[in-house]
Amino acid sequence: MIRQCSILFGCLALGELIVWLTGIKLPSSVIGMLLLTLFLKLGILKLEWVRGISDFLVANLGFFFVPSSVALMLCFDIIKAELLPIIVSTVASTALVLVFTGWTHQIMRKNGLLRK
Amino acid sequence: MDYLENKYFLIALTFIVFYLAKLLQKKTGLVILNPILVTMILLISFLEVSDIDYETYYEGGKFIEFWLKPAVVALGVPLYLQLESIKKQLVPILVSQLVGCVVGIVSVVLIAKYMGASTPVVVSLAAKSVTTPIAMEVTQALGGIPALTAAIVVCVGIFGALFGFKVLTWGKVGSPIAQGLSMGTASHAVGTSAAMEVSGKYGAFASLGLTINGILTALLTPIVMELLGLL
């Protein structure tokens, strides 16, 4: 458990360091995630060294953002004031993402198969 | 009433309500009863009724929220495990993710802006398609309202889970891989769980979409927003 936490928080701390050094506008956690993948791929870290805690965290990802979703009570006023733009843009954009992602993948695969 | 402001009580309450909400969804099988949504509504109602402000709740809540960042780092493990399947279809997956990511950011931002939303709200909507920890971090880095992003992301997930497959059928997206991928790309973990219910293959590609779009959105949102002149 201590080893698992050392690795996980080590990657996160490296991510924080990179953000601090470069001022890059990226979440330190995303950099930490990519570093963890890289270290696993390079064989510097073994999968079983992080498996327990990472499985637990990934399986319960949803729970950890409950406190931040409760912060919605702080922005009732904004949502009330801009309800229509928020709903329309979100729903329309989500439908567009679904269709465009699907189309692109289908077209790319079709062309790939024809070439073969 | 002071006891209700005790941080350990509030932490325990958060655990218990979420546990019961998960149980409720399992029992009913209703997608709309998303545990995060149910917990959010119940906790906000409780805090409003007992006149506890968010700052007091956050005294306990911050210990739960603390684990968000390590949890995002932990997503590196499923990503590593999927490297092989990504490699096999690298180009179609990457290109479709790239298209989905950019379409998602640009369309939501332009529509909201056109309909008169204020800049902080527009910024908070940009990362709406990806899983909350990443979306909130992006919003935070861009100076939006993370709380608003969290709420929107949950709603996007529920919309995708409820109507995603219908939209895909209307849009003539028929291939199982494309459908799974799209569900994860557009509506993150909630859409992925809906895809997982169809079959494991759908679910695997949905989680791929959720991971890659999460990374791309984190990487590209600042650039796209800058190009759109919104930063």
Side-chain angles (χ1 to χ4, degrees):
Chain A
M1 194 61 175
I2 299 295
R3 175 159 71 183
Q4 293 172 7
C5 283
S6 307
I7 292 170
L8 214 58
F9 282 98
C11 288
L12 183 54
L14 273 178
E16 293 272 341
L17 179 69
I18 291 171
V19 171
W20 183 70
L21 284 177
T22 61
I24 191 172
K25 269 192 178 175
L26 253 183
S28 58
S29 53
V30 173
I31 301 173
M33 169 179 76
L34 294 174
L35 287 173
L36 179 60
T37 310
L38 182 71
F39 293 150
L40 287 167
K41 180 69 190 162
L42 294 177
I44 298 170
L45 298 175
K46 287 212 176 86
L47 191 55
E48 63 262 31
W49 292 354
V50 280
R51 206 60 208 264
I53 190 153
S54 68
D55 284 355
F56 168 77
L57 290 175
V58 169
N60 296 290
L61 203 57
F63 177 68
F64 303 117
F65 66 72
V66 166
S68 5
S69 72
V70 173
L72 176 70
M73 64 192 278
L74 297 175
C75 33
F76 278 151
D77 293 338
I78 304 176
I79 294 181
K80 225 186 281 167
E82 304 184 20
L83 189 64
L84 203 61
I86 291 175
I87 291 182
V88 173
S89 61
T90 305
V91 167
S93 172
T94 303
L96 287 174
V97 175
L98 280 164
V99 172
F100 271 91
T101 309
W103 279 349
T104 313
H105 188 266
Q106 284 188 164
I107 292 166
M108 297 276 305
R109 284 216 73 194
K110 222 187 211 163
N111 291 345
L113 289 176
L114 286 178
R115 239 180 283 135
K116 274 172 198 168
Chain B
M1 284 302 263
D2 271 346
Y3 172 74
L4 295 182
E5 300 189 349
N6 181 296
K7 65 182 173 193
Y8 295 106
F9 166 72
L10 290 168
I11 292 173
L13 186 72
T14 309
F15 271 107
I16 293 165
V17 171
F18 190 78
Y19 174 70
L20 293 176
K22 273 185 94 161
L23 215 62
L24 180 71
Q25 189 180 41
K26 212 171 160 191
K27 278 262 157 69
T28 58
L30 293 172
V31 188
I32 191 83
L33 291 177
N34 177 274
I36 303 146
L37 183 73
V38 171
T39 309
M40 179 180 86
I41 293 169
L42 290 177
L43 284 180
I44 290 179
S45 312
F46 167 78
L47 295 174
E48 293 282 354
V49 167
S50 32
D51 203 23
I52 299 171
D53 55 26
Y54 180 73
E55 284 68 29
T56 309
Y57 172 74
Y58 193 69
E59 279 305 303
K62 67 182 176 196
F63 293 101
I64 297 170
E65 195 187 69
F66 169 81
W67 289 94
L68 264 177
K69 281 181 179 241
V72 173
V73 176
L75 283 173
V77 171
L79 185 63
Y80 165 73
L81 293 174
Q82 286 163 352
L83 277 181
E84 285 311 307
S85 61
I86 298 174
K87 245 188 244 162
K88 271 186 214 145
Q89 293 199 38
L90 191 64
V91 179
I93 289 177
L94 278 186
V95 174
S96 58
Q97 292 299 299
L98 200 63
V99 170
C101 171
V102 174
V103 165
I105 301 169
V106 172
S107 61
V108 78
V109 164
L110 289 186
I111 296 171
K113 187 90 194 154
Y114 179 74
M115 292 186 68
S118 59
T119 306
V121 170
V122 172
V123 171
S124 308
L125 289 171
K128 58 140 194 14
S129 299
V130 298
T131 195
T132 309
I134 296 177
M136 286 183 65
E137 289 241 20
V138 170
T139 299
Q140 199 135 38
L142 297 179
I145 310 158
L148 182 60
T149 303
I152 302 288
V153 165
V154 176
C155 298
V156 166
I158 292 164
F159 173 77
L162 287 176
F163 303 109
F165 282 114
K166 273 184 200 139
V167 172
L168 286 168
T169 312
W170 287 333
K172 300 206 175 356
V173 176
S175 119
I177 294 176
Q179 283 198 351
L181 209 55
S182 302
M183 288 293 281
T185 309
S187 51
H188 55 92
V190 185
T192 302
S193 66
M196 206 72 92
E197 275 161 29
V198 178
S199 85
K201 189 180 178 188
Y202 279 84
F205 279 94
S207 59
L208 199 58
L210 130 89
T211 312
I212 300 178
N213 192 27
I215 298 167
L216 286 178
T217 300
L219 292 170
L220 295 180
T221 311
I223 302 168
V224 173
M225 295 296 276
E226 202 125 13
L227 289 176
L228 292 172
L230 282 163
L231 277 187

